[in-house]
Amino acid sequence: MLFARVYLPFALGYAISYFFRNANAIIEADLVRELGLGPAELGLLTSVYFFSFAAFQLPLGILLDRYGPRRTEAILLLFAAMGAWIFSQSDSLLGLIFGRLLIGLGVSACLMAAFKAYVIWFPSERLPMINGLQMVAGGLGALGATTPLQSALSFSDWRGIFAILAIITVFSAIIVWGLLPEKQNAVEQQPELITQFKEIGKVFRSPVFWSIAPFAAISGGTNMAIHGLWIKPWLRDVAGIGVDSAAQLLFAMTMASITGFLSLGIIAERVSQLFDFRPITIGVFGMTLFLLTQSAMAYGWISSPLLLVILLGFFGTSSILIFAGYAQIFPKNLSGRVSTILNFLIFVSAFILQWGIGVIIEMWPPTGSGYDPESYQAAIGALVLLQAAGLAWYFFFNNSVKSSVERLST
């Protein structure tokens, strides 16, 4: 009963968040046709979600640690509902950007509030699995933003769908407020607000945090940039796949992501018990495989698009294990801020990379049916180099990580 009361409200909110995040991958052709957007403008419109999401992460961590996940998420979801309604009614790029900025702000707590609640209500050894279940809920929302959304567009346009989403988001806020339990006297036990701001410095000064954060941020941001927008145009322009088939492959990619979120969390829990491997180590291994898969994509490997999207979807989830790894290292009273700082970096990365891909693609003249395949090679190749640098950074500071973990654990 406790599991249902804690998990289900956050699962619904996160599913909605992921639907918002990935919906533009399906409706991008409609947006381009109706508003005449170029690839850079399309990338900017989609990525501003990440900008407002990231901008609120640091104050969000303090709100979560001070006022708890229930009140914080319920109120923020109302902003997401407002943004969805504005998005559905806008006829200009500026109006759409403003609506999507509000959506990003409003769903900014959907994952971090869940992680904070799980730290409060569940033992630390269960966090990799329960965090994975939370990501599965997000994956189900992303799944809805593939073939189901493509099918829904035959009954309603994208404006009607976003208007309905606004209503569903208000309902989610009510569920979070009414169903979720809350620790008694949580606010009164918190230190002064200025103290909580100062404690952020402990995270920023930690070599444990900075050893893996760059790789995790670039890897997670790359996954969002590709999955949330650019995989469908890539399938069209590089692999030569039609709209309906591309939506089906996006569905398969999302199913692989759901499988990755669930199975990697379970694997991390089991392996850590049997071999004393930390979730961070397993996450680095998975992110490396994600990097190798992108290398094949960058060089135009199209002999098996289905296998490619499955590998991208599955290993693209690996960075989520870093959150559970941090939760096992840092004190519980810092858990909200540690998670939100990492999330801030991931979403800043996603904003820059998703927009940046569009900027690079726009350097080549468009073709009759889309964008130049060589432009994707340059854009994805840049992502590969950035992640390779993050991986090198992690291994360079690996000895520092080990010694710092030992100090934090004593």
Side-chain angles (χ1 to χ4, degrees):
M1 181 62 180
L2 175 62
F3 176 83
R5 288 188 65 194
V6 175
Y7 174 73
L8 292 180
F10 289 118
L12 175 60
Y14 197 49
I16 293 171
S17 170
Y18 242 102
F19 190 99
F20 280 131
R21 183 185 304 177
N22 288 358
N24 279 15
I26 292 294
I27 67 172
E28 55 93 14
D30 297 319
L31 294 173
V32 168
R33 181 174 58 254
E34 185 171 330
L35 298 171
L37 304 180
E41 291 174 320
L42 179 63
L44 174 62
L45 171 60
T46 306
S47 65
V48 291
Y49 168 103
F50 299 129
F51 178 81
S52 58
F53 197 115
F56 199 66
Q57 288 304 295
L58 297 185
L60 174 62
I62 293 174
L63 291 173
L64 289 174
D65 284 337
R66 188 168 187 83
Y67 298 107
R70 170 179 165 267
R71 283 173 282 184
T72 302
E73 177 163 346
I75 293 172
L76 284 173
L77 280 172
L78 297 178
F79 286 90
M82 185 188 309
W85 180 259
I86 292 173
F87 193 90
S88 73
Q89 302 300 310
S90 296
D91 294 316
S92 67
L93 176 61
L94 185 61
L96 292 174
I97 287 176
F98 180 63
R100 196 152 172 85
L101 280 169
L102 282 177
I103 291 172
L105 170 66
V107 299
S108 62
C110 287
L111 182 60
M112 297 297 99
F115 284 178
K116 176 64 178 181
Y118 300 155
V119 168
I120 293 172
W121 291 100
F122 301 109
S124 62
E125 63 271 14
R126 305 293 295 176
L127 291 178
M129 187 177 72
I130 191 67
N131 286 357
L133 288 174
Q134 177 69 12
M135 299 307 297
V136 167
L140 292 175
L143 204 63
T146 58
T147 304
L149 177 56
Q150 187 73 52
S151 300
L153 289 173
S154 63
F155 300 98
S156 175
D157 62 4
W158 60 272
R159 295 182 183 277
I161 289 170
F162 270 80
I164 294 172
L165 280 172
I167 298 172
I168 294 174
T169 306
V170 172
F171 174 76
S172 177
I174 295 172
I175 292 295
V176 170
W177 186 273
L179 189 60
L180 189 70
E182 188 169 26
K183 288 285 188 182
Q184 295 297 317
N185 300 324
V187 176
E188 289 77 4
Q189 295 172 359
Q190 293 295 331
E192 293 292 330
L193 190 61
I194 187 63
T195 302
Q196 291 187 299
F197 272 106
K198 290 179 179 179
E199 286 176 341
I200 293 177
K202 293 182 180 180
V203 181
F204 280 113
R205 291 191 299 270
S206 170
V208 176
F209 182 86
W210 286 111
S211 64
I212 185 58
F215 187 28
I218 299 171
S219 180
T222 296
N223 182 46
M224 293 179 186
I226 293 175
H227 198 168
L229 178 61
W230 292 113
I231 185 62
K232 188 166 175 273
W234 184 90
L235 290 169
R236 178 193 65 210
D237 299 332
V238 178
I241 294 173
V243 173
D244 292 337
S245 297
Q248 293 172 1
L249 286 172
L250 190 56
F251 184 92
M253 182 178 180
T254 306
M255 285 296 298
S257 295
I258 293 173
T259 304
F261 284 135
L262 181 59
S263 61
L264 287 176
I266 295 173
I267 290 170
E269 182 177 330
R270 296 290 185 268
V271 170
S272 63
Q273 292 172 349
L274 294 175
F275 302 104
D276 197 29
F277 283 169
R278 294 181 179 272
I280 288 178
T281 303
I282 302 169
V284 168
F285 179 72
M287 289 187 292
T288 302
L289 295 178
F290 179 52
L291 165 62
L292 294 176
T293 305
Q294 291 167 69
S295 299
M297 181 183 180
Y299 289 98
W301 181 63
I302 58 173
S303 59
S304 180
L306 177 60
L307 177 60
L308 180 67
V309 298
I310 288 174
L311 292 175
L312 286 171
F314 186 87
F315 291 114
T317 66
S318 301
S319 61
I320 195 64
L321 293 175
I322 308 305
F323 289 97
Y326 281 160
Q328 293 179 358
I329 295 172
F330 288 91
K332 282 189 175 183
N333 68 303
L334 291 176
S335 61
R337 279 156 288 177
V338 172
S339 294
T340 52
I341 290 171
L342 177 58
N343 215 33
F344 165 78
L345 296 174
I346 289 174
F347 276 80
V348 167
S349 172
F351 167 69
I352 294 172
L353 297 178
Q354 193 171 75
W355 186 10
I357 290 172
V359 171
I360 293 174
I361 289 174
E362 201 167 84
M363 293 178 180
W364 278 256
T367 63
S369 59
Y371 309 127
D372 193 320
E374 290 187 4
S375 66
Y376 291 96
Q377 183 177 16
I380 304 301
L383 298 180
V384 169
L385 291 176
L386 286 172
Q387 290 165 88
L391 179 61
W393 173 277
Y394 169 75
F395 281 116
F396 182 77
F397 283 94
N398 195 38
N399 290 333
S400 175
V401 170
K402 290 179 180 179
S403 61
S404 297
V405 168
E406 291 174 357
R407 288 196 301 270
L408 282 169
S409 301
T410 57

